[in-house]
């Protein structure tokens, strides 16, 4: 295997990464839009937010399965110990949020006794939890807070990738792209 390839993520990992990243940012914007609407319009937009969230959950499960069956390149050797720890912590938190936010949304929706329409193709049933509107509201509030934390972490992740690419010149973003220079 060539050494540049050994320092890059696999093509499958790249596809999962960029697809999930685009969907997460898009879904955050959909939620922000819905938050400013009222009535049926709000519910319709939140319906799309929920469907996209379930797709993100499915893709994240696929991404984790991919990760467990395909080697992950090592972090660049020039990272400071705190940078390596921060990178690992942020990635772990990303996976927790990529799984926890959709499941939390599904749980809150279930406590609200509402199934999730998956783009008109099929219905994702409620979880067997019974109806509890107050708990539904509480979970949705936690879900929104988690989404805000996620967006801040995404910004930190992007800034880190840009720093490593343009200041440290250690490959940064090119580790997750099929082009560009990843130095040894």
């Amino acid at each position: 295997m060539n050494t540049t390839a050994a320092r890059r993520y696999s093509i499958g990992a790249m596809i999962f990464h960029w697809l999930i990243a685009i969907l997460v940012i898009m879904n955050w914007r959909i939620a922000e839009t819905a938050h400013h609407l009222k009535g049926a319009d709000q519910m319709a937009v939140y319906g799309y937010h929920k469907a996209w969230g379930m797709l993100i959950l499915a893709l994240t499960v696929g991404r984790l399965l991919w990760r467990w069956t395909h080697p992950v390149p090592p972090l660049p050797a020039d990272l400071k110990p705190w940078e390596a720890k921060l990178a690992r912590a942020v990635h772990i938190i990303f996976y927790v949020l990529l799984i926890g936010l959709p499941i939390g949304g599904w749980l809150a929706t279930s406590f609200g006794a509402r199934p999730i329409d998956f783009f008109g193709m099929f219905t994702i049933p409620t979880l067997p939890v019974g109806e509890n509107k107050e708990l539904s509201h509480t979970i949705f509030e936690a879900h929104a807070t988690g989404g805000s934390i996620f967006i801040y972490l995404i910004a930190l992740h992007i800034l880190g990738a840009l720093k490593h690419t343009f200041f440290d010149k250690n490959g940064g973003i090119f580790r997750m792209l099929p082009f560009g220079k990843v130095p040894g």
Side-chain angles (χ1 to χ4, degrees), residues 75-94 153 156-157 164:
L75 290 172
D78 66 341
L79 290 186
K80 294 172 183 72
W82 70 267
E83 289 175 312
K85 286 179 185 173
L86 181 60
R88 286 189 184 98
V90 168
H91 281 102
I92 290 168
I93 295 167
F94 276 170
L153 287 175
L156 177 67
H157 181 67
H164 295 301

Side-chain angles (χ1 to χ4, degrees), residues 121-137:
M121 292 186 280
F122 56 88
T123 299
I124 299 170
T126 61
L127 296 167
V129 293
E131 189 171 340
N132 184 330
K133 300 281 186 189
E134 187 175 315
L135 187 53
S136 174
H137 177 74

